[in-house]
């Protein structure tokens, strides 16, 4: 009678009763009215493609990775598909390529997708895969698709909507793979036009990168690898220069004499550096230990207001002085807790880089005591 309801969800209630939930957008609606259901064709077509692709993907995963692979969950909508499987480790790039190739091969064969109703026992006897934990009634719907030397590539019990032929899927592209729980991997993929758009975006990114690097697209990986190697080399040279400058002490004697203090019969060097990467502290500590010959070294790097501390003890003093105990004293002064390492080298940190001088002083006091 002219009423319109936009359906937003459909739920199964009380066994076989399907309840449509939605918003009345126009006209009166009353109990007993007859309604015509109108499905959004384009959206439904995309859902069908993604759903059927999960069946082919499931079969390909089992063939590639092993029959231990079972479905642990899935999500299908008009935009993409998500498929969870039981598998103990990450899929390699080569495995993903082979799985994609196999599914796309099934898609290109464009074979008919068939659905049949039968008893659960008949379905299992004919090779249909039932999902563990699913409840099945006296009659089940068996969906078969794909061709494998005259046999169906995939046969599963399923009540969902599917394409009429595998070619309707057009294309599948895996866009992510990762862990969601112990022994469970999640695969996300696109089909059809969404997969094509994704590939076009990736191609554009490759072409843009090639233009920036001034090389052909096929040469991008080698060029990026060369640039990364150059960067590593420069970072090593910069790190060595920073360490040499830091340990040089502005021209003090080669044995670090002008930098070292005599505290409690032990020579000690304590230094603080702004902006020195924390990962370089251990190398710097080794350099200063070598220069001092015998003694204790404490160096602090301050970055973004936080402090990183490393304490080193020369080999001849191990047993008399403990780097772990000293670094914990310094860390406490920095507002941190704990720290750890070995008797000759230990590291810690603290949230308050402004207390670096206090941390050095606390270590000096411990040596004096």
């Amino acid at each position: 009678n002219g009423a319109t309801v936009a359906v937003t969800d459909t739920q199964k209630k009380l066994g076989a009763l399907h309840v449509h939930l939605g918003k009345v957008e126009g006209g009166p609606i009353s109990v007993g009215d007859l309604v015509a259901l109108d499905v959004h064709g384009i959206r439904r077509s995309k859902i069908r493609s993604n759903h059927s692709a999960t069946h082919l993907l499931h079969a390909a995963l089992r063939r590639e990775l092993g029959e231990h692979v079972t479905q642990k969950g899935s999500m299908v909508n008009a935009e993409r598909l998500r498929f969870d499987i039981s598998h103990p480790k990450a899929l390699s790039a080569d495995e993903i390529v082979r799985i994609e190739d196999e599914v796309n091969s099934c898609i290109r064969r464009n074979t008919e997708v068939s659905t049949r109703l039968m008893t659960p026992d008949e379905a299992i006897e004919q090779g249909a895969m039932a999902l563990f934990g699913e409840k099945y009634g006296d009659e089940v719907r068996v969906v078969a698709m794909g061709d494998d030397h005259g046999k169906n590539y995939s046969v599963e019990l399923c009540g969902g909507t599917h394409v009429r032929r595998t070619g309707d899927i057009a294309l599948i592209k895996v866009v992510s793979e990762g862990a969601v729980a112990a022994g469970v991997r999640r695969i996300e993929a696109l089909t059809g036009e969404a997969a094509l758009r994704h590939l076009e975006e990736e191609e554009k990114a490759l072409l843009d990168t090639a233009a920036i690097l001034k090389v052909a697209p096929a040469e991008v990986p080698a060029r990026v690898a060369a640039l990364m190697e150059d960067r590593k080399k420069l970072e090593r040279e910069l790190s060595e220069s920073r360490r040499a400058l830091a340990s040089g002490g502005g021209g003090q004697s080669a044995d670090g004499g002008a930098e070292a203090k005599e505290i409690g019969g032990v020579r000690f060097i304590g230094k603080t550096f702004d902006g020195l990467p924390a990962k370089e502290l251990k190398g710097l500590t080794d350099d200063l230990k070598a220069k001092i010959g015998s003694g204790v070294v404490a160096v602090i790097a301050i970055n973004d207001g936080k402090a990183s501390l490393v304490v080193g003890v020369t080999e001849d003093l191990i047993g008399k002085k403990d780097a772990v105990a000293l670094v914990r004293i310094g860390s406490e002064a920095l507002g941190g807790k704990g720290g750890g390492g070995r008797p000759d080298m230990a590291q810690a940190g603290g949230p308050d880089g402004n207390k670096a001088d206090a941390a050095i002083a606390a270590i000096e006091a411990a040596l004096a005591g």
Side-chain angles (χ1 to χ4, degrees):
N1 298 324
T4 303
V5 179
V7 176
T8 56
D9 195 11
T10 308
Q11 297 183 6
K12 195 172 183 180
K13 303 286 188 179
L14 302 174
L17 178 64
H18 292 83
V19 179
H20 293 73
L21 309 178
K23 179 180 179 181
V24 178
E25 293 190 337
I29 186 168
S30 305
V31 174
D33 283 352
L34 294 178
V35 298
L37 295 175
D38 183 23
V39 175
H40 191 308
I42 295 176
R43 178 176 177 273
R44 175 54 60 90
S45 178
K46 292 178 180 179
I47 292 173
R48 285 186 178 125
S49 293
N50 285 331
H51 189 186
S52 296
T54 63
H55 283 229
L56 295 176
L57 180 62
H58 192 188
L61 286 163
R62 286 172 60 85
R63 291 171 184 239
E64 176 66 32
L65 305 178
E67 293 189 0
H68 66 278
V69 171
T70 56
Q71 179 180 333
K72 292 298 182 181
S74 71
M75 183 280 295
V76 174
N77 59 29
E79 287 72 42
R80 62 177 54 216
L81 65 92
R82 189 178 71 208
F83 199 69
D84 297 346
I85 60 168
S86 55
H87 191 58
K89 60 182 180 180
L91 277 67
S92 69
D94 287 343
E95 286 174 331
I96 291 174
V97 168
R98 289 195 295 269
I99 290 164
E100 280 183 341
D101 286 348
E102 191 156 335
V103 175
N104 281 318
S105 178
C106 285
I107 290 171
R108 288 193 301 272
R109 291 191 191 106
N110 196 28
T111 56
E112 185 178 359
V113 176
S114 67
T115 59
R116 291 174 293 165
L117 297 176
M118 59 184 71
T119 66
D121 289 341
E122 289 173 337
I124 300 300
E125 188 176 327
Q126 293 190 24
M129 185 182 301
L131 300 182
F132 179 77
E134 290 283 344
K135 295 181 180 179
Y136 298 103
D138 296 334
E139 189 176 62
V140 294
R141 185 164 174 261
V142 180
V143 179
M145 67 181 73
D147 176 67
D148 181 28
H149 302 94
K151 297 180 180 180
N152 291 122
Y153 187 81
S154 166
V155 183
E156 292 191 30
L157 304 184
C158 183
T161 183
H162 287 280
V163 296
R164 291 181 174 85
R165 304 186 71 89
T166 58
D168 296 341
I169 301 171
L171 172 70
I172 188 172
K173 176 62 183 174
V174 174
V175 294
S176 71
E177 186 276 341
V180 291
V184 179
R185 310 296 300 182
R186 171 166 293 173
I187 299 168
E188 295 196 25
L190 305 173
T191 65
E193 186 177 356
L196 180 60
R197 296 286 88 79
H198 175 80
L199 292 173
E200 289 174 345
E201 289 170 4
E202 286 198 329
E203 182 181 29
K204 183 179 184 302
L206 174 62
L207 293 175
D208 289 346
T209 305
I212 293 171
L213 297 174
K214 294 181 172 58
V215 297
E219 297 171 356
V220 166
R223 180 59 176 149
V224 171
L227 288 173
M228 292 300 294
E229 187 58 38
D230 289 344
R231 176 175 175 172
K232 289 178 182 178
K233 182 180 178 181
L234 290 172
E235 287 178 341
R236 284 195 299 269
E237 292 174 353
L238 179 59
S239 176
E240 290 169 1
S241 297
R242 278 196 296 248
R243 283 171 51 186
L245 183 62
S247 63
Q252 281 98 3
S253 60
D255 66 354
E259 298 174 291
K261 298 180 180 180
E262 187 86 15
I263 302 176
V266 175
R267 301 181 75 195
F268 173 72
I269 293 179
K271 285 191 166 191
T272 299
F273 302 93
D274 285 321
L276 183 71
K279 64 181 180 181
E280 296 181 13
L281 286 180
K282 285 188 175 181
L284 175 58
T285 300
D286 280 333
D287 291 345
L288 291 172
K289 283 169 62 179
K291 291 184 69 173
I292 203 173
S294 174
V296 175
V297 173
V299 288
I300 297 174
I302 302 173
N303 292 283
D304 298 324
K306 298 179 181 179
S308 300
L309 166 66
V310 170
V311 174
V313 175
T314 57
E315 188 174 349
D316 62 305
L317 295 180
I318 294 175
K320 299 176 184 178
K321 302 298 178 183
D322 182 16
V324 176
L326 293 172
V327 86
R328 288 176 178 170
I329 291 170
S331 177
E332 185 176 349
L334 293 167
K337 295 181 180 179
R342 306 184 309 269
D344 65 321
M345 180 83 73
Q347 61 183 346
D352 193 349
N354 292 323
K355 295 182 178 178
D357 290 342
I360 297 293
I363 295 172
E364 291 180 348
L367 291 173

